[in-house]
Amino acid sequence: MRTFDIGETDFLLDGKPFRVLAGALHYFRVHPDLWRDRIRKARQMGLNTIETYVAWNAHSPKQGVFHTEAGLDLGRFLDIAAEEGMFAFVRPGPYICAEWDNGGLPAWLFDGGATEIRRNNERYLDAVTGYYEALAPILVPRQISEGGPIILVQVENEYGAYGSDKEYLTALTGLTRKIGITVPLTTVDQPTGDMLGAGSLPTLHKTASFGSRPLERLATLREHQPTGPLMCAEFWNGWFDHWGGHHHTTSAQDAAANLDLLLSAGASVNIYMFHGGTNFGFTNGANDKGTYSPTITSYDYDAPLDESGQPTAKYWALRETIGRYAELPPLDPPSPPTSVSVQDVRFERSLPLWDVLDLLGEPVTHDHLPSTDELGHYSGFAVYSAQTPKAGVLSFAEIRDRAQVFAGRRGIGVLSRDHGEKMIAVPGAVDILVEDLGRVNYGPRIGEPKGLIGPSTLDGDPLENWTVRPLDLDRIAALTGKLRHSDLITADTVAGPLFAYATFDATDTDQDLFLDTTGWTKGVAWVNGFCLGRYWARGPQRTLYVPAPVLRPDGNEIVVFELHAAQATVRLLDRPNLGHTES
């Protein structure tokens, strides 16, 4: 039986000193057919461990269900890591942040009003218990003591930046042990006295998160933990982007120099991110530190492996650095160069949103203004309709997060949360297309309901009768079937909100593609029923990543839900465009 322990100065693998050289790779942000490729490239960079969060809300989008198929097959992901000779460091939260929708917490946790999260709260811990029990059959038999790859499990996530409830941390630790986890348990916090003190327990091994000044940060960590191995469990070598911001990059040379200092001090490391991947579908999170800022679809993170899994200059710089402290495995022989010709295709057919509403959901009438959470609809879009008795100023308490207002199905304006817009002049009855742009993943606004937030008034008088139709965009197969026989597009532009349809052949189904969104305004795109995610003209992202496993040789189908207006052309590229860069 193999063992992994925390020693006086080192991690101990089978009783011998061992340095954890980990890289963050979130299985839920990578197409499952590409897991092995990404893990193998981590090993070839010199890493020995794969770290992943577990996204509770991805596995459990509705209360009482726990999905583990396809891209959520965490067990298969860990098995591939083991097959590739890698250990695993698992961080199940329950809160993960990760720029992921709601920080990984299921929206249904908050049904019936806000509950105390990340606290020693009975209702919350009962839900966490069910989550941990669902994880147990996946994690417990894959621990190193059972012949599996898992050597470390983290409790909570940067808790010292949120709270200091020691009873909560004690309860989480107890739950983790109760389900059968026996490997060492860790916490992670930014290396300040307050956060390290608030975010851990004496029975949990403290690690730190930082991206610069490693010797100073490790010294602070050592002050608060006199014995045991030093570890940076999140070595930030890049950063994430928000819509309307710039694309962040960091210097490969600086990242390598800081990693060199960290390793020279004898510390273990987890490179965050080794490979960021993509916020496919509606999975991106958002920040709200005074202004609501949703995260873009790409989670490229300026990581050593880019969004499509290609090594960058940072990959080679970090590999060279790691090679000074560990033996590097041989690289796979380079693949023969491939090229994919740029393709321009036209949208062939389209359907206005208004013509397919019955296909996408059923309307529900209320005598008050409900949030979409109240309807059990936790992401994407909904259409609100009000039979206003007269022209006037329609007002709401808050917009979450973007509302297009239509009168007679003609657009009359947009209300945006990030602009603080809450009211609009209307001529009478209105339909309002509301988009949830991503739930806040950090801070006190985690768990807030989405949709139109009341009270709603017309010229100051209560407006209480509303019909709401949640749009189920998982019905994309039925929608695509109807699009195949819809009206032909003859103009050079299309006006939304509408669904547009195009087809193309792939010259090489082993080659990733990038859908160029230049010339489109805002919306969501699918290829062969796989949701690539959101696009938005405000940038910085100008392409959507199309993983090669999604493609077929011929008859590939693109569906775009354009909210405003777009050119009636589709361009497929062989490289990404994530916008201008700043260091």
Side-chain angles (χ1 to χ4, degrees):
M1 182 180 74
R2 305 200 71 184
T3 61
F4 191 82
D5 300 293
I6 293 175
E8 192 70 16
T9 57
D10 300 284
F11 291 113
L12 301 174
L13 176 62
D14 298 329
K16 297 178 181 179
F18 178 82
R19 189 201 301 258
V20 176
L21 298 171
L25 170 59
H26 302 154
Y27 61 98
F28 45 87
R29 281 182 159 129
V30 178
H31 192 285
D33 290 358
L34 300 173
W35 287 343
R36 188 177 298 276
D37 171 78
R38 308 310 194 245
I39 292 169
R40 181 168 295 172
K41 287 173 178 172
R43 179 174 56 80
Q44 292 184 345
M45 198 179 84
L47 303 180
N48 56 33
T49 302
I50 292 295
E51 177 270 307
T52 186
Y53 282 126
V54 181
W56 182 7
N57 57 357
H59 289 276
S60 186
K62 302 282 186 181
Q63 190 169 9
V65 303
F66 196 83
H67 298 304
T68 57
E69 67 279 2
L72 294 174
D73 193 346
L74 174 58
R76 176 173 173 262
F77 176 80
L78 294 171
D79 291 343
I80 293 173
E83 291 165 7
E84 291 296 322
M86 302 289 275
F87 296 107
F89 174 20
V90 180
R91 303 202 286 169
Y95 165 78
I96 63 171
C97 186
E99 292 73 57
W100 186 257
D101 187 62
N102 222 35
L105 297 176
W108 52 259
L109 275 177
F110 305 88
D111 286 352
T115 185
E116 282 193 287
I117 61 165
R118 307 181 73 187
R119 293 281 190 272
N120 189 35
N121 173 273
E122 182 178 0
R123 179 183 169 195
Y124 174 67
L125 285 174
D126 281 349
V128 173
T129 299
Y131 166 48
Y132 279 24
E133 289 174 346
L135 282 179
I138 301 170
L139 301 184
V140 172
R142 291 179 172 87
Q143 296 179 97
I144 189 169
S145 58
E146 306 299 319
I150 300 174
I151 55 174
L152 291 171
V153 170
Q154 183 177 289
V155 174
E156 248 284 348
N157 190 56
E158 291 191 319
Y159 185 65
Y162 181 86
S164 58
D165 187 341
K166 301 297 185 179
E167 291 183 353
Y168 167 58
L169 291 176
T170 300
L172 276 188
T173 302
L175 283 175
T176 306
R177 293 302 190 202
K178 185 177 179 181
I179 64 169
I181 298 297
T182 58
V183 298
L185 302 181
T186 66
T187 57
V188 64
D189 284 288
Q190 295 178 44
T192 70
D194 289 347
M195 291 188 189
L196 288 168
S200 191
L201 297 171
T203 55
L204 303 174
H205 188 68
K206 297 181 180 69
T207 71
S209 55
F210 54 82
S212 61
R213 308 204 308 270
L215 298 183
E216 175 187 333
R217 270 66 187 269
L218 290 173
T220 301
L221 178 60
R222 179 56 80 206
E223 289 173 10
H224 291 82
Q225 185 164 254
T227 64
L230 292 168
M231 182 173 184
C232 177
E234 286 191 19
F235 175 63
W236 304 323
N237 71 130
W239 208 246
F240 55 93
D241 300 335
H242 292 122
W243 291 113
H246 64 268
H247 173 50
H248 293 80
T249 63
T250 59
S251 160
Q253 291 71 29
D254 288 350
N258 280 311
L259 179 62
D260 191 35
L261 287 172
L262 190 155
L263 296 178
S264 71
S268 289
V269 69
N270 174 43
I271 294 171
Y272 192 99
M273 296 292 296
F274 165 70
H275 171 57
T278 308
N279 296 313
F280 294 118
F282 302 107
T283 58
N284 65 278
N287 276 359
D288 193 335
K289 299 178 180 179
T291 300
Y292 174 80
S293 302
T295 306
I296 68 170
T297 299
S298 172
Y299 200 64
D300 175 85
Y301 212 86
D302 194 38
L305 281 194
D306 70 12
E307 184 178 11
S308 60
Q310 297 304 308
T312 66
K314 192 173 289 181
Y315 180 95
W316 302 113
L318 297 188
R319 185 178 191 272
E320 180 182 0
T321 300
I322 292 168
R324 298 175 198 147
Y325 301 91
E327 183 177 352
L328 294 174
L331 294 168
D332 284 345
S335 301
T338 59
S339 62
V340 176
S341 58
V342 173
Q343 291 191 62
D344 288 314
V345 297
R346 282 185 57 86
F347 284 124
E348 303 162 23
R349 300 176 183 274
S350 68
L351 282 167
L353 168 66
W354 315 114
D355 291 359
V356 293
L357 286 178
D358 288 342
L359 190 64
L360 296 177
E362 295 71 43
V364 182
T365 301
H366 290 261
D367 59 3
H368 67 285
L369 181 67
S371 68
T372 53
D373 292 52
E374 190 176 334
L375 306 178
H377 185 68
Y378 299 120
S379 67
F381 295 82
V383 175
Y384 284 73
S385 302
Q387 296 299 319
T388 54
K390 60 176 182 176
V393 175
L394 181 59
S395 179
F396 304 94
E398 195 167 349
I399 305 296
R400 296 183 187 154
D401 301 303
R402 190 173 187 272
Q404 292 174 247
V405 186
F406 300 86
R409 296 188 171 173
R410 294 178 58 121
I412 61 173
V414 176
L415 302 177
S416 295
R417 173 178 179 173
D418 57 348
H419 294 160
E421 296 161 335
K422 302 178 182 179
M423 60 183 67
I424 188 171
V426 299
V430 291
D431 296 304
I432 306 175
L433 176 62
V434 181
E435 181 181 5
D436 163 8
L437 287 169
R439 293 175 186 266
V440 172
N441 55 258
Y442 184 89
R445 301 201 72 156
I446 293 172
E448 63 186 6
K450 291 289 190 172
L452 298 178
I453 306 303
S456 55
T457 61
L458 184 67
D459 286 342
D461 297 323
L463 183 63
E464 297 175 336
N465 294 316
W466 287 88
T467 298
V468 186
R469 187 191 301 261
L471 302 185
D472 183 1
L473 294 179
D474 286 338
R475 302 181 185 181
I476 189 66
L479 180 62
T480 302
K482 190 163 186 176
L483 276 165
R484 293 186 191 113
H485 307 288
S486 60
D487 292 339
L488 290 170
I489 297 174
T490 57
D492 292 333
T493 58
V494 293
L498 88 167
F499 293 89
Y501 173 88
T503 60
F504 69 97
D505 296 335
T507 56
D508 184 353
T509 56
D510 292 326
Q511 183 71 28
D512 299 321
L513 295 176
F514 299 87
L515 191 63
D516 185 3
T517 63
T518 305
W520 304 349
T521 306
K522 190 179 193 314
V524 184
W526 293 258
V527 169
N528 294 332
F530 182 88
C531 189
L532 305 179
R534 312 174 203 261
Y535 63 87
W536 200 347
R538 64 165 56 176
Q541 180 173 355
R542 301 295 179 191
T543 52
L544 289 174
Y545 171 54
V546 185
V550 169
L551 300 172
R552 51 194 182 225
D554 47 52
N556 293 282
E557 297 177 304
I558 300 174
V559 174
V560 169
F561 181 27
E562 169 60 54
L563 304 181
H564 296 280
Q567 295 176 354
T569 55
V570 179
R571 172 164 283 192
L572 293 154
L573 307 178
D574 61 355
R575 61 192 54 145
N577 179 357
L578 297 180
H580 65 281
T581 62
E582 293 183 22
S583 295

